[in-house]
Coordinates of all heavy atoms in Angstrom, one line a residue:
M1 N 0.9 -1.2 -0.1 CA 0.0 0.0 0.0 C 0.9 1.3 0.0 O 1.8 1.4 0.8 CB -0.9 -0.1 1.2 CG -1.8 1.2 1.3 SD -3.0 0.9 2.6 CE -3.6 2.5 2.8
K2 N 0.6 2.2 -1.0 CA 1.5 3.4 -1.1 C 1.0 4.4 0.0 O -0.3 4.5 0.3 CB 1.3 4.0 -2.5 CG 1.8 3.1 -3.5 CD 1.9 3.7 -4.8 CE 0.7 4.2 -5.2 NZ 0.6 4.8 -6.7
P3 N 1.8 5.2 0.5 CA 1.3 6.2 1.5 C 0.9 7.6 0.8 O 0.4 8.5 1.6 CB 2.7 6.6 2.3 CG 3.8 6.3 1.4 CD 3.2 5.0 0.5
F4 N 0.9 7.5 -0.3 CA 0.4 8.8 -1.0 C -0.9 8.6 -1.6 O -1.4 7.7 -2.0 CB 1.5 9.1 -2.3 CG 3.0 9.4 -2.0 CD1 3.8 8.3 -2.2 CD2 3.2 10.5 -1.3 CE1 5.1 8.5 -1.8 CE2 4.5 10.6 -1.0 CZ 5.5 9.7 -1.2
P5 N -1.6 9.7 -1.6 CA -3.0 9.7 -2.0 C -3.1 9.6 -3.7 O -2.2 9.8 -4.3 CB -3.6 11.1 -1.7 CG -2.5 11.9 -1.5 CD -1.3 11.2 -1.1
K6 N -4.2 8.9 -3.9 CA -4.5 8.6 -5.4 C -4.8 10.0 -6.2 O -5.3 10.9 -5.6 CB -5.5 7.6 -5.6 CG -5.1 6.3 -5.1 CD -6.1 5.2 -5.3 CE -5.5 3.9 -4.7 NZ -6.4 2.7 -4.8
I7 N -4.8 9.8 -7.5 CA -4.9 11.2 -8.2 C -6.4 11.7 -8.0 O -6.6 12.7 -8.1 CB -4.6 10.8 -9.7 CG1 -4.6 12.2 -10.5 CG2 -5.5 9.8 -10.4 CD1 -3.3 13.0 -10.1
H8 N -7.4 10.7 -7.9 CA -8.9 11.2 -7.8 C -9.0 11.7 -6.5 O -9.8 12.7 -6.2 CB -9.8 10.1 -8.1 CG -9.6 8.9 -7.3 ND1 -9.9 8.7 -6.1 CD2 -9.1 7.6 -7.7 CE1 -9.7 7.5 -5.6 NE2 -9.1 6.8 -6.6
D9 N -8.2 11.3 -5.4 CA -8.4 12.0 -4.1 C -7.8 13.4 -4.1 O -8.4 14.4 -3.5 CB -7.5 11.1 -3.1 CG -8.0 9.8 -2.7 OD1 -9.4 9.6 -3.0 OD2 -7.4 8.9 -2.4
L10 N -6.7 13.7 -4.8 CA -6.2 14.9 -5.0 C -7.1 15.8 -5.8 O -7.3 17.0 -5.5 CB -4.9 14.9 -5.7 CG -3.7 14.2 -4.8 CD1 -2.5 14.0 -5.6 CD2 -3.5 14.9 -3.6
Y11 N -7.8 15.4 -6.8 CA -8.7 16.0 -7.6 C -9.9 16.5 -6.7 O -10.2 17.7 -6.9 CB -9.1 15.2 -8.8 CG -10.1 16.0 -9.8 CD1 -9.6 16.9 -10.5 CD2 -11.3 15.5 -10.0 CE1 -10.5 17.6 -11.4 CE2 -12.2 16.2 -10.7 CZ -11.7 17.3 -11.5 OH -12.5 18.0 -12.4
V12 N -10.5 15.7 -6.0 CA -11.6 16.0 -5.1 C -11.2 17.0 -4.1 O -12.0 17.9 -3.8 CB -12.2 14.7 -4.5 CG1 -13.2 15.0 -3.5 CG2 -12.8 13.9 -5.6
A13 N -10.1 16.7 -3.5 CA -9.5 17.7 -2.4 C -9.4 19.1 -3.1 O -9.7 20.1 -2.4 CB -8.2 17.2 -1.9
R14 N -8.7 19.2 -4.2 CA -8.6 20.5 -4.7 C -9.8 21.2 -5.2 O -10.0 22.3 -4.9 CB -7.7 20.2 -6.1 CG -7.2 21.7 -6.7 CD -6.5 21.4 -7.9 NE -7.2 20.9 -8.9 CZ -6.8 20.4 -10.1 NH1 -5.6 20.4 -10.3 NH2 -7.6 19.8 -10.9
A15 N -10.8 20.5 -5.7 CA -12.1 21.1 -6.0 C -12.8 21.5 -4.7 O -13.3 22.6 -4.7 CB -13.0 20.1 -6.7
V16 N -12.8 20.7 -3.7 CA -13.6 21.2 -2.4 C -12.8 22.2 -1.8 O -13.5 23.2 -1.2 CB -13.7 19.9 -1.5 CG1 -14.3 20.3 -0.2 CG2 -14.7 19.0 -2.3
L17 N -11.5 22.1 -1.6 CA -10.8 23.2 -0.8 C -10.9 24.5 -1.5 O -11.0 25.7 -0.9 CB -9.4 22.8 -0.7 CG -9.1 21.7 0.4 CD1 -7.7 21.4 0.4 CD2 -9.4 22.3 1.7
G18 N -10.8 24.5 -2.9 CA -10.9 25.8 -3.7 C -12.4 26.5 -3.4 O -12.4 27.7 -3.2
T19 N -13.4 25.6 -3.5 CA -14.7 26.3 -3.3 C -15.0 26.6 -1.9 O -15.6 27.6 -1.5 CB -15.8 25.3 -3.8 OG1 -15.7 24.1 -3.0 CG2 -15.8 25.1 -5.3
V20 N -14.4 26.0 -0.9 CA -14.6 26.3 0.5 C -13.9 27.7 0.8 O -14.3 28.4 1.5 CB -14.0 25.2 1.4 CG1 -13.6 25.7 2.9 CG2 -14.8 24.0 1.4
L21 N -12.6 27.7 0.2 CA -11.9 29.1 0.5 C -12.6 30.3 -0.3 O -12.8 31.3 0.2 CB -10.5 29.0 -0.1 CG -9.7 28.0 0.8 CD1 -8.1 28.0 0.1 CD2 -9.5 28.5 2.2
L22 N -13.1 29.9 -1.6 CA -13.8 31.1 -2.2 C -15.0 31.4 -1.4 O -15.4 32.6 -1.2 CB -14.2 30.6 -3.6 CG -15.0 31.5 -4.5 CD1 -14.1 32.8 -4.8 CD2 -15.5 30.8 -5.7
T23 N -15.9 30.4 -0.9 CA -17.1 30.7 -0.2 C -16.7 31.6 1.0 O -17.4 32.4 1.4 CB -17.8 29.4 0.2 OG1 -18.0 28.7 -1.1 CG2 -19.0 29.6 0.9
W24 N -15.6 31.2 1.7 CA -15.2 31.7 3.0 C -14.9 33.3 2.6 O -15.4 34.1 3.4 CB -14.1 30.9 3.5 CG -13.6 31.3 5.0 CD1 -14.4 31.9 5.9 CD2 -12.3 31.1 5.5 NE1 -13.7 31.9 7.0 CE2 -12.4 31.5 6.9 CE3 -11.2 30.4 5.1 CZ2 -11.3 31.3 7.8 CZ3 -10.1 30.5 6.0 CH2 -10.2 30.9 7.2
M25 N -14.2 33.6 1.6 CA -13.8 34.8 1.4 C -15.0 35.7 1.0 O -15.1 36.8 1.3 CB -12.8 34.9 0.2 CG -11.4 34.4 0.7 SD -10.7 35.3 1.9 CE -10.7 34.0 3.3
V26 N -16.0 35.1 0.1 CA -17.2 36.0 -0.1 C -18.0 36.3 1.0 O -18.5 37.3 1.3 CB -18.0 35.2 -1.2 CG1 -19.4 35.7 -1.4 CG2 -17.3 35.1 -2.4
L27 N -18.2 35.2 2.0 CA -19.0 35.5 3.2 C -18.3 36.4 4.1 O -19.0 37.2 4.6 CB -19.3 34.2 3.8 CG -20.3 33.3 3.3 CD1 -20.5 31.9 4.0 CD2 -21.7 33.9 3.0
L28 N -17.1 36.3 4.2 CA -16.4 37.3 5.1 C -16.4 38.6 4.4 O -16.6 39.7 5.2 CB -14.9 36.8 5.2 CG -14.0 37.7 6.1 CD1 -14.5 37.7 7.6 CD2 -12.5 37.1 6.1
G29 N -16.3 38.8 3.3 CA -16.4 40.2 2.7 C -17.7 40.8 2.8 O -17.8 41.9 3.2
L30 N -18.8 39.9 2.6 CA -20.1 40.5 2.8 C -20.3 41.0 4.2 O -21.0 41.9 4.7 CB -21.2 39.4 2.3 CG -21.3 39.2 0.9 CD1 -22.2 38.0 0.7 CD2 -21.9 40.5 0.3
D31 N -19.8 40.0 5.2 CA -20.1 40.4 6.5 C -19.4 41.6 7.1 O -19.8 42.5 7.8 CB -19.5 39.1 7.4 CG -19.9 39.3 9.0 OD1 -21.0 39.6 9.2 OD2 -19.0 38.8 9.7
V32 N -18.2 41.8 6.7 CA -17.4 43.0 7.0 C -17.9 44.2 6.2 O -18.1 45.2 7.0 CB -15.9 42.8 6.6 CG1 -15.1 44.0 6.7 CG2 -15.2 41.7 7.3
T33 N -18.4 44.1 5.2 CA -18.9 45.3 4.5 C -20.3 45.6 5.2 O -20.5 46.8 5.4 CB -19.4 44.9 2.9 OG1 -18.0 44.5 2.3 CG2 -19.9 46.0 2.2
L34 N -21.1 44.6 5.5 CA -22.4 45.0 6.2 C -22.1 45.6 7.5 O -22.7 46.5 8.1 CB -23.3 43.7 6.2 CG -23.9 43.3 4.9 CD1 -24.7 42.0 5.1 CD2 -24.6 44.4 4.2
A35 N -21.0 45.0 8.3 CA -20.8 45.6 9.6 C -20.2 47.1 9.4 O -20.5 47.9 10.2 CB -19.7 44.8 10.3
L36 N -19.4 47.3 8.4 CA -19.0 48.7 8.1 C -20.0 49.7 7.8 O -20.0 50.7 8.4 CB -17.9 48.6 7.0 CG -17.1 50.1 6.8 CD1 -16.4 50.4 8.1 CD2 -16.2 49.9 5.6
V37 N -21.0 49.2 7.2 CA -22.2 50.1 6.9 C -22.9 50.4 8.1 O -23.4 51.5 8.3 CB -23.2 49.4 5.8 CG1 -24.5 50.0 5.7 CG2 -22.5 49.3 4.5
G38 N -23.0 49.5 9.0 CA -23.6 49.7 10.2 C -22.9 50.6 11.2 O -23.4 51.5 11.8
E39 N -21.5 50.6 11.1 CA -20.6 51.5 11.8 C -20.8 52.9 11.3 O -20.5 53.9 12.0 CB -19.2 51.0 11.8 CG -19.0 49.8 12.6 CD -19.0 50.0 14.1 OE1 -18.7 51.1 14.5 OE2 -19.6 49.2 14.8
I40 N -21.0 53.1 10.0 CA -21.0 54.4 9.5 C -22.1 55.3 10.0 O -21.8 56.6 10.2 CB -21.2 54.4 7.9 CG1 -19.9 53.8 7.2 CG2 -21.5 55.7 7.2 CD1 -20.0 53.6 5.7
G41 N -23.1 54.8 10.6 CA -24.1 55.5 11.2 C -23.6 56.3 12.5 O -24.2 57.1 12.9
D42 N -22.5 55.6 13.1 CA -22.0 56.2 14.4 C -20.9 57.2 13.9 O -20.3 57.8 15.0 CB -21.4 55.1 15.3 CG -22.6 54.3 15.8 OD1 -23.7 54.8 15.8 OD2 -22.3 53.1 16.1
V43 N -20.4 57.4 12.8 CA -19.4 58.2 12.5 C -19.8 59.7 12.7 O -20.9 60.1 12.3 CB -18.8 58.0 11.0 CG1 -18.0 59.2 10.5 CG2 -18.3 56.7 10.8
G44 N -18.9 60.5 13.3 CA -19.3 61.9 13.5 C -19.9 62.2 15.0 O -20.0 63.2 15.4
K45 N -20.0 61.1 15.6 CA -20.6 61.2 17.1 C -19.2 61.2 17.9 O -18.5 60.2 18.0 CB -21.4 60.1 17.4 CG -22.8 60.0 16.7 CD -23.7 58.9 17.1 CE -24.9 58.8 16.3 NZ -25.7 57.6 16.7
G46 N -19.2 62.2 18.6 CA -17.9 62.5 19.4 C -16.6 62.6 18.7 O -16.6 63.3 17.6
D47 N -15.8 61.7 18.9 CA -14.5 61.8 18.0 C -14.3 60.4 17.2 O -13.2 60.1 16.8 CB -13.2 61.9 18.9 CG -13.0 60.8 19.9 OD1 -13.9 60.0 20.1 OD2 -11.8 60.7 20.4
Y48 N -15.3 59.8 16.9 CA -15.4 58.6 16.2 C -15.4 59.0 14.7 O -16.3 59.6 14.2 CB -16.6 57.8 16.5 CG -16.7 56.5 16.0 CD1 -15.7 55.5 16.5 CD2 -17.7 55.9 15.1 CE1 -15.6 54.2 16.0 CE2 -17.5 54.6 14.7 CZ -16.6 53.6 15.2 OH -16.6 52.4 14.7
S49 N -14.3 58.7 14.1 CA -14.3 59.1 12.6 C -14.3 57.9 11.8 O -14.4 56.7 12.2 CB -12.8 59.8 12.4 OG -11.8 58.9 12.7
F50 N -14.3 58.1 10.4 CA -14.3 56.9 9.4 C -13.1 56.2 9.5 O -13.2 54.8 9.5 CB -14.5 57.6 8.1 CG -14.7 56.5 7.1 CD1 -15.9 55.8 7.0 CD2 -13.7 56.2 6.0 CE1 -16.1 54.8 6.1 CE2 -14.0 55.3 5.1 CZ -15.1 54.5 5.2
G51 N -12.0 56.7 9.9 CA -10.8 55.8 10.0 C -10.9 54.8 11.2 O -10.3 53.8 11.1
K52 N -11.3 55.5 12.2 CA -11.6 54.6 13.4 C -12.6 53.5 13.2 O -12.4 52.4 13.7 CB -12.1 55.5 14.7 CG -10.9 56.3 15.3 CD -11.3 57.1 16.4 CE -10.2 57.8 16.8 NZ -10.6 58.8 18.1
A53 N -13.6 53.8 12.4 CA -14.7 52.8 12.2 C -13.9 51.6 11.3 O -14.1 50.4 11.4 CB -15.8 53.3 11.3
I54 N -13.2 52.1 10.2 CA -12.4 51.0 9.5 C -11.4 50.3 10.4 O -11.3 49.1 10.3 CB -11.7 51.7 8.2 CG1 -12.8 52.2 7.4 CG2 -10.7 50.8 7.7 CD1 -12.2 52.9 6.0
A55 N -10.8 50.9 11.3 CA -9.7 50.2 12.2 C -10.6 49.3 12.9 O -10.1 48.0 13.3 CB -9.1 51.3 13.0
H56 N -11.7 49.6 13.6 CA -12.6 48.7 14.3 C -12.9 47.5 13.6 O -12.8 46.3 14.1 CB -13.7 49.4 14.9 CG -14.7 48.8 15.7 ND1 -15.7 48.0 15.1 CD2 -14.6 48.3 16.9 CE1 -16.3 47.2 16.1 NE2 -15.7 47.4 17.3
E57 N -13.4 47.7 12.3 CA -13.8 46.5 11.6 C -12.7 45.6 11.2 O -12.7 44.4 11.1 CB -14.5 47.0 10.3 CG -15.9 47.6 10.6 CD -16.7 46.8 11.5 OE1 -16.8 45.4 11.1 OE2 -17.3 47.1 12.4
A58 N -11.4 46.4 10.9 CA -10.2 45.5 10.5 C -9.8 44.7 11.7 O -9.3 43.5 11.5 CB -9.1 46.4 10.1
Y59 N -10.0 45.1 13.0 CA -9.5 44.4 14.2 C -10.5 43.2 14.4 O -10.2 42.2 15.1 CB -9.5 45.3 15.5 CG -8.3 46.2 15.5 CD1 -8.4 47.5 15.9 CD2 -7.2 45.8 15.1 CE1 -7.4 48.4 15.8 CE2 -5.9 46.7 15.1 CZ -6.2 47.9 15.4 OH -5.1 48.8 15.6
T60 N -11.7 43.3 13.8 CA -12.7 42.2 14.1 C -12.6 41.1 13.1 O -13.4 40.1 13.2 CB -14.0 42.7 14.4 OG1 -14.6 43.4 13.0 CG2 -14.2 43.7 15.5
V61 N -11.9 41.3 12.0 CA -11.9 40.4 10.9 C -11.5 39.0 11.4 O -12.0 38.1 10.9 CB -11.0 40.9 9.7 CG1 -10.7 39.9 8.7 CG2 -11.7 42.1 9.0
P62 N -10.4 38.8 12.1 CA -10.0 37.4 12.5 C -11.1 36.7 13.2 O -11.4 35.5 13.1 CB -8.9 37.6 13.4 CG -8.2 39.0 12.9 CD -9.3 39.7 12.5
R63 N -11.9 37.4 14.2 CA -12.9 36.8 14.7 C -14.1 36.3 13.9 O -14.7 35.3 14.1 CB -13.5 37.7 16.0 CG -14.6 37.2 16.7 CD -15.3 38.1 17.6 NE -15.6 39.5 17.0 CZ -16.7 39.7 16.5 NH1 -17.8 38.9 16.1 NH2 -17.0 40.9 15.9
R64 N -14.3 37.3 13.0 CA -15.5 37.0 11.9 C -15.0 35.9 11.2 O -15.9 35.0 10.8 CB -15.7 38.3 11.1 CG -16.3 39.5 11.8 CD -16.5 40.6 11.0 NE -16.8 41.8 11.7 CZ -17.9 42.1 12.1 NH1 -19.0 41.3 11.7 NH2 -18.3 43.2 12.7
A65 N -13.8 35.7 10.6 CA -13.4 34.7 9.8 C -13.5 33.3 10.7 O -14.0 32.4 10.0 CB -11.9 34.9 9.4
Y66 N -13.1 33.3 11.9 CA -13.1 32.2 12.7 C -14.7 31.8 12.9 O -15.0 30.5 12.8 CB -12.6 32.4 14.1 CG -12.6 31.2 14.9 CD1 -11.6 30.2 14.8 CD2 -13.4 31.2 16.1 CE1 -11.6 29.2 15.5 CE2 -13.5 30.1 16.9 CZ -12.5 29.2 16.7 OH -12.5 28.0 17.6
Q67 N -15.5 32.6 13.1 CA -16.9 32.3 13.2 C -17.7 31.9 12.0 O -18.4 31.0 11.9 CB -17.7 33.5 13.8 CG -17.4 33.8 15.2 CD -18.2 35.0 15.8 OE1 -18.6 35.9 15.1 NE2 -18.3 35.1 17.1
L68 N -17.2 32.5 10.8 CA -17.8 32.0 9.5 C -17.2 30.7 8.9 O -17.9 30.3 8.0 CB -17.6 33.3 8.5 CG -18.5 34.4 8.7 CD1 -18.1 35.5 7.8 CD2 -20.0 34.1 8.6
F69 N -16.2 30.3 9.4 CA -15.5 29.1 8.7 C -16.5 27.8 8.7 O -16.5 27.2 7.8 CB -14.2 28.7 9.2 CG -13.5 27.6 8.5 CD1 -12.9 27.8 7.4 CD2 -13.4 26.3 9.0 CE1 -12.3 26.8 6.6 CE2 -12.9 25.3 8.3 CZ -12.4 25.6 7.2
P70 N -17.1 27.5 9.8 CA -17.9 26.2 9.8 C -19.0 26.2 8.7 O -19.1 25.4 7.9 CB -18.5 26.1 11.1 CG -17.6 26.8 12.0 CD -17.0 28.0 11.1
S71 N -19.8 27.4 8.7 CA -20.7 27.4 7.6 C -20.2 27.6 6.3 O -20.7 27.0 5.3 CB -21.7 28.6 7.9 OG -21.1 29.8 8.0
S72 N -19.1 28.2 6.0 CA -18.4 28.2 4.7 C -18.0 26.9 4.4 O -18.0 26.6 3.1 CB -17.3 29.3 4.8 OG -17.6 30.5 5.1
A73 N -17.4 26.2 5.3 CA -16.9 24.9 4.9 C -18.0 23.9 4.4 O -17.9 23.3 3.5 CB -16.3 24.2 6.2
V74 N -19.2 24.0 5.1 CA -20.3 23.2 4.6 C -20.9 23.5 3.3 O -21.0 22.7 2.4 CB -21.5 23.3 5.7 CG1 -22.7 22.6 5.2 CG2 -21.1 22.7 7.0
V75 N -21.1 25.0 3.1 CA -21.6 25.5 1.7 C -20.5 25.2 0.6 O -20.9 24.8 -0.4 CB -21.9 26.9 1.9 CG1 -22.3 27.6 0.7 CG2 -23.1 27.1 2.9
G76 N -19.2 25.4 1.1 CA -18.2 25.3 0.0 C -18.0 23.8 -0.3 O -17.9 23.5 -1.7
A77 N -18.0 22.9 0.6 CA -18.0 21.5 0.2 C -19.2 21.0 -0.6 O -18.9 20.2 -1.6 CB -17.9 20.5 1.6
L78 N -20.4 21.5 -0.2 CA -21.5 21.0 -1.1 C -21.3 21.6 -2.5 O -21.6 20.9 -3.5 CB -22.8 21.5 -0.5 CG -23.2 20.7 0.9 CD1 -24.3 21.4 1.6 CD2 -23.4 19.4 0.6
R79 N -20.8 22.9 -2.7 CA -20.7 23.4 -3.9 C -19.6 22.7 -4.8 O -19.7 22.5 -5.9 CB -20.4 24.9 -3.9 CG -21.6 25.8 -3.5 CD -21.3 27.2 -3.7 NE -21.0 27.4 -5.2 CZ -20.3 28.3 -5.7 NH1 -19.8 29.3 -4.9 NH2 -20.2 28.5 -6.9
G80 N -18.5 22.4 -4.0 CA -17.5 21.7 -4.8 C -17.8 20.3 -5.3 O -17.5 19.9 -6.4
L81 N -18.5 19.5 -4.4 CA -19.0 18.3 -4.7 C -20.0 18.3 -5.8 O -20.1 17.4 -6.7 CB -19.4 17.5 -3.6 CG -18.4 17.1 -2.5 CD1 -19.0 16.5 -1.3 CD2 -17.4 16.1 -3.1
G82 N -20.9 19.3 -5.8 CA -21.8 19.5 -6.7 C -21.3 19.7 -8.0 O -21.9 19.2 -9.2
Q83 N -20.3 20.5 -8.1 CA -19.6 20.9 -9.3 C -19.0 19.6 -9.9 O -19.0 19.3 -11.2 CB -18.5 21.9 -9.2 CG -19.0 23.3 -9.0 CD -17.9 24.3 -8.8 OE1 -16.7 24.1 -8.6 NE2 -18.2 25.6 -8.7
L84 N -18.3 18.7 -9.1 CA -17.7 17.6 -9.6 C -18.9 16.6 -10.0 O -18.6 16.0 -11.3 CB -17.0 16.9 -8.5 CG -15.6 17.5 -8.1 CD1 -15.1 16.9 -6.8 CD2 -14.8 17.5 -9.2
S85 N -19.9 16.6 -9.4 CA -21.0 15.5 -9.9 C -21.7 16.1 -11.2 O -22.1 15.3 -12.0 CB -22.1 15.4 -8.8 OG -22.9 16.6 -8.7
S86 N -21.7 17.4 -11.4 CA -22.3 17.9 -12.7 C -21.6 17.8 -13.8 O -22.1 17.6 -14.9 CB -22.7 19.4 -12.5 OG -21.6 20.2 -12.4
S87 N -20.1 17.8 -13.6 CA -19.3 17.6 -14.8 C -18.9 16.0 -14.9 O -18.2 15.7 -15.9 CB -18.0 18.3 -14.6 OG -17.3 17.9 -13.4
S88 N -19.4 15.2 -14.1 CA -19.1 13.7 -14.2 C -17.6 13.5 -14.2 O -17.1 12.7 -14.9 CB -19.9 13.2 -15.4 OG -21.2 13.3 -15.2

């Protein structure tokens, strides 16, 4: 038995990982954009500027990415496997 994966295992892994990462980036981008739109309503109150709103959202990106990964993995894996099944 060889310790290396077979070619079809690599093909499935590449398709699934690609769609998982793409889905993760799209969901993260949407989440950060919507959060920034929500923060814009507070810009101008006190000394809260647009730069501080962007900095606040930039600091929360790792937490958001961590929270979004499980759902992105499910959706991305289903999309990747669906693409493979549709192309036979």
Side-chain angles (χ1 to χ4, degrees):
M1 184 171 160
K2 295 190 302 186
F4 299 107
K6 295 184 180 181
I7 191 73
H8 55 74
D9 293 334
L10 294 173
Y11 183 67
V12 170
R14 186 179 66 193
V16 169
L17 285 175
T19 55
V20 166
L21 291 176
L22 180 66
T23 305
W24 193 21
M25 290 301 113
V26 167
L27 288 178
L28 183 62
L30 287 172
D31 189 42
V32 169
T33 302
L34 291 175
L36 184 61
V37 168
E39 289 289 322
I40 288 177
D42 294 334
V43 170
K45 295 179 183 175
D47 64 344
Y48 194 64
S49 65
F50 185 68
K52 288 184 181 180
I54 288 181
H56 176 265
E57 292 308 314
Y59 288 137
T60 62
V61 168
R63 176 187 52 86
R64 292 175 190 278
Y66 181 76
Q67 288 177 339
L68 285 172
F69 184 74
S71 56
S72 300
V74 170
V75 172
L78 290 174
R79 287 194 62 207
L81 292 174
Q83 286 176 353
L84 288 175
S85 70
S86 70
S87 66
S88 295

